Amino acid sequence: MRYSGKLTPEQLDAVIAQTQQQVRDSAGSLPLFGLAGWTGVMSLGEWIYDGGPHTLAHGDPGGAIEPGGAGGRFVQVQSDTGDPRHRVQSLQLMATMEAMAKTSTAVDLHGLHSEPARLADRVVEIIVDATPVLFELWDDTDTPGRWWAAGTYRGCGLAIEASSIDPAQVSLVRVTDLEPYLAGQAARIGRLRRDADTSPDTP
């Protein structure tokens, strides 16, 4: 890939910079929570500027060990104003669609959306800003070690998606400095661009 499409590398850099500034400008509308003590890869997940959700991601969702990562562990935390169980449902739906895409299985979006929500498998206690909070938790029946959890802390809905980490090891803290997450996102985009440039299928 040599950026022969609509955007030059410089234009793409400008778009990324503009997007990251929009993230900074909208971050104050919701409290943000990250994984306490995390020193590995950080990035952003789903981020809707107006109203949320706002998502902070830790590790590699694909399970690979990225530079500075932690053995395939992944935790993303979504903050939103609505019912966090609805956010968990959206995360589960996205995981199902991604799994179907990898196996070239046809995706019946209507069927997926019409399936009733599954009751939580159990209730766990997760620490949020040094406060024990009860979360409903769903185990992924298709991928061992992956799970989702929904809870509420001080009026903010929190939805967690995690893999290769026990819920008892998850402790959340309030995040006020987004720069490490923005830097991680920029580094990840840079790696993807370099990989695209060196791909043997690149024209």
Side-chain angles (χ1 to χ4, degrees):
M1 181 177 180
R2 300 298 174 190
Y3 307 106
S4 57
K6 295 182 179 179
L7 295 179
T8 66
E10 293 74 21
Q11 289 171 326
L12 184 56
D13 286 338
V15 169
I16 292 170
Q18 180 183 29
T19 299
Q20 292 205 331
Q21 187 56 50
Q22 287 177 295
V23 168
R24 293 186 185 95
D25 293 341
S26 61
S29 61
L30 285 169
L32 303 173
F33 294 91
L35 191 60
W38 182 259
T39 58
V41 173
M42 301 179 187
S43 189
L44 300 177
E46 181 181 1
W47 193 286
I48 304 300
Y49 303 127
D50 185 12
H54 295 169
T55 308
L56 300 183
H58 313 77
D60 174 24
I65 303 175
E66 291 190 2
R73 287 186 296 169
F74 174 70
V75 178
Q76 67 169 335
V77 185
Q78 289 194 346
S79 301
D80 202 2
T81 56
D83 187 337
R85 288 171 292 190
H86 294 162
R87 297 307 316 164
V88 163
Q89 228 179 329
S90 295
L91 290 170
Q92 291 170 331
L93 176 63
M94 184 61 67
T96 299
M97 293 173 63
E98 289 175 354
M100 288 180 169
K102 288 179 181 178
T103 58
S104 300
T105 303
V107 180
D108 178 8
L109 292 178
H110 175 73
L112 289 175
H113 280 289
S114 62
E115 289 181 3
R118 177 166 63 93
L119 294 176
D121 294 301
R122 60 189 187 275
V123 174
V124 299
E125 188 176 88
I126 292 176
I127 302 300
V128 182
D129 264 355
T131 302
V133 177
L134 293 179
F135 280 74
E136 294 178 274
L137 185 143
W138 293 259
D139 291 305
D140 189 341
T141 56
D142 297 317
T143 306
R146 180 161 63 179
W147 51 271
W148 300 271
T152 301
Y153 176 69
R154 294 190 175 181
C156 179
L158 297 177
I160 302 172
E161 180 177 18
S163 60
S164 301
I165 185 170
D166 190 275
Q169 297 177 299
V170 174
S171 179
L172 305 182
V173 292
R174 182 76 179 264
V175 172
T176 56
D177 181 11
L178 268 184
E179 295 309 312
Y181 293 90
L182 292 170
Q185 182 196 45
R188 185 169 185 273
I189 292 172
R191 287 195 296 274
L192 292 173
R193 290 167 71 177
R194 287 193 297 273
D195 289 346
D197 279 341
T198 57
S199 170
D201 298 327
T202 299

